[in-house]
Each structure stands twice: as C-alpha cells, then as structure tokens.
Amino acid sequence: MMLAVAGAKVSLAQQLEVKRDTVVTVSDDRYEVKTNGFWDNWFVNVGAGAQIYFGDHNKQMKLSERLTPNFEFNLGKWFSPGIGVRAGVNGFKIKGVTQNGSHSTGERYEGKPWEGYWLYNQEFNYFHIHGDVLFNLSNIFGGYKEDRFYTISPYAGLGWMVTNDAPSQKEVSANIGIFNSFRLTNALDLTLDIRGAMVNDRFDGETGNRSQDGILSGLVGLSYKFKKRGWEKPSTVVISYSDEVLNSLRDKVNKLSQDNEALKAQLAAAGDKTITNIKVEEKILAAPILVTFPINKSVVSNEARVNLGFFAKVIKTGNKNVVYKVTGYADKGTGTTEINDRLSRDRAKAIYNVLVQEFDVNPAQLEVAHEGGVANMYYDDPRLSRAVITIAK
C-alpha cells in the first residue's frame, strides 16, 4: 500500500504542468479598482464663503447689499471613485427687503421705491441641513487616477431649511451644485463648492409672484480624507522556479520513480518472504509562497488565508524535519526606517500566526524573520515589496 501511494504521487507530479516564468499581472483598466470596506474613503469638509438670497423684492437691491457670509460643514463617503454621498449643514444670515414687514429691521430701504410701495430692510438667521449624492465626473469619464490634481463633482440632493426668527419657517429644499477639489496632499484637498438651493416662496415670511425662493452660495474650504483613502488596482501574482531548479526537481522525481519501480520488483520477487531494511520516506516539494499586503497594513486577507491553508496541509503531511522560513518585507519608498522595520516584522508574524493558530502547523517547522524596507524586488513594482515570502530552508 505504501508503494502504491508513493507511485501515485510520483505519477501525478510528472503530469503537473509548471509555468516557466514568474507572471505578475496588474490590471491596466483605468475603470477597474478593488472595492473598499464601509469604513474606508470617508472625508470631512469645512468651508466659508458668501451667499445671495433671491426673494420677491430683493432684485431692487444692489448686489453688494445682498451678499452675506455662509459657513458649511460636511461629512461624506465615496463608495467608488465616481459615486459618493455626504450630509452637512450650512447657513448663517440672509439680507433682503420686505414689503409686508416680515423680518424687518425697522429701517426703510433707501433705494428706488418700487411701483409706489415702500420697502424695508430685511434680515434673519437660518440654517440648512442637507444630504447630497456626488458624481465625480473626472473619475467616471477619465478613469481613476490617484494623484489627479483637479476633480469636478456635480451633485444633487434634498434638505431642510429652518429659520427660528419670527415668523419662523421650516421648509424642504432642493439642491444642485458643483463640488470642485484641488489635491494638496494625499489626505488634504482645497475645495470650491458652488450650491444652488430652492425653497418655498413663503420661507422669508412674504409670498409674492415667485413660486420659489432661492439661495446661491460659493464656499472655499478644506477637505480631509480619512484612511483608508483611495483605491488599489486588482493584481494577480504567480511565482515559479527557474529552469535550473525545475530541471533539478524533475531529476529527483524521476529518481524516485525508478526507486519505486525497483521496490515493486523486489516485492514481487520476494513472494512470501520478509524484506527487511527497506524504508520509504515521503518527500513533498513546495514552491515559495508570496503574500502581498496593502500599503501600511499587516492584516492577512481571506484570499491569502485560503492559499495558506493549502500550504499548511503540505507542511503537515510532508517531511517533519523541513523548516520553512517566513520573511516579512516593506516598501522602502514609503514610510520611515522604523515604521518599515515594524511593518515587515508584523507582516511576518501575521503569516506565522495564521499557519500556527488557524491551521495547526508545528511552530518548530517555522522560522520568522523580517528585512524592514527593501527596494522593489520584482518587476520594479513597489506593491510586490509589501509582502511575506515563505520558503523551505
């Protein structure tokens, strides 16, 4: 039975087709990215600027007299490079003129009288809670580009506009606008937000010939993007031995096959006799395992765990005297020396913990090492240096 099992394994090994070269495939589709988790790609935005209110009689005022400050705060998330949402609040103070005395300051407007009616200065505070859906046209039509300097994102949404000054009003608003971003750093953008909001004509306390009143605002601000920010391109990594190593492996497999045939011949010739001093030792040869990590991360993905599970089975069913070296690496091009040293150590330890704690590999068969930050190891691609390589010593 032992001879039959050994012979089957040798036969299977001879039928395996081993790829000749290492292949690293990174998607060059500019529209294809990896999907991030719910807590990734969040941002916060603050801004300040000016606004102008379009009421029933405000067109009689000079433009400079209608401008008032506006402040805004937003919290949002991008679900993909092209689609995002945000919730926020903006507002401050509105200035205009009134004919019926609503929100009047008591001062008569000194401009031209309108068709014989006297107008009074109007002023009241308000705030505007809103939710918007953003469409990043730069990424939708141009494809995702991590270091793009300028992006334009039109948006639309609904809101709730409130003034607590008598006569108080609470009205639903409809909003459209353009959110412009200028990249300063990986985490920080300069923003220009141009918003138009429509609200019921009665919001300013006066109903006239307009079916809707409106507010036009422009705000300059800063947007901070929380980690994890940005998206990674999908990639596929396959690593195989060189021709020299493969030829050596083939020679060993052929020799095992010949030994197996010789043992079967001895067994057939022996008949009922006992054959002594014959020992069949199973040997399993495994290729090195490469596990890559996102930048500044040491968490093992579920996809990598599947490959490590198969690898653990090879270790546990193979030669118990073989020791496998687990070596962690980091990308030298990002982070300090101290950070890269810690990161490479954490990555190696993470792979060690998965093999030992999840797949019951004997710790005596594993040796953990780390190399800190290293230059690009494969294909001049820094992502392949954020890795752990496990290979038999």
Side-chain angles (χ1 to χ4, degrees), residues 147-167:
D147 58 353
R148 179 178 280 120
F149 173 69
Y150 170 71
T151 59
I152 180 170
S153 304
Y155 62 85
L158 296 174
W160 186 244
M161 199 173 292
V162 177
T163 174
N164 291 320
D165 296 347

Side-chain angles (χ1 to χ4, degrees), residues 82-123:
I83 304 294
V85 296
R86 69 177 183 180
V89 58
N90 72 293
F92 182 52
K93 183 178 293 186
I94 289 174
K95 285 185 178 180
V97 290
T98 177
Q99 180 180 339
N100 68 359
S102 61
H103 301 296
S104 173
T105 65
E107 298 177 356
R108 189 174 65 185
Y109 179 63
E110 297 298 334
K112 294 181 181 180
W114 176 247
E115 296 182 351
Y117 294 98
W118 297 104
L119 300 176
Y120 290 84
N121 289 326
Q122 182 185 61
E123 184 175 308

Side-chain angles (χ1 to χ4, degrees), residues 132-152:
D132 307 314
V133 180
L134 300 96
F135 304 90
N136 189 320
L137 298 186
S138 302
N139 288 334
I140 290 175
F141 293 106
Y144 173 65
K145 185 178 179 183
E146 183 178 5
D147 58 353
R148 179 178 280 120
F149 173 69
Y150 170 71
T151 59
I152 180 170

Side-chain angles (χ1 to χ4, degrees), residues 10 251 253-263:
V10 171
D251 292 340
V253 169
N254 290 333
K255 187 176 184 308
L256 288 173
S257 179
Q258 294 170 4
D259 291 344
N260 187 46
E261 293 299 325
L263 289 172

Side-chain angles (χ1 to χ4, degrees), residues 318-338:
N319 191 328
K320 305 302 182 182
N321 295 321
V322 176
V323 176
Y324 295 84
K325 188 173 183 179
V326 182
T327 308
Y329 301 88
D331 170 24
K332 186 178 181 180
T334 56
T336 64
T337 302
E338 292 76 12

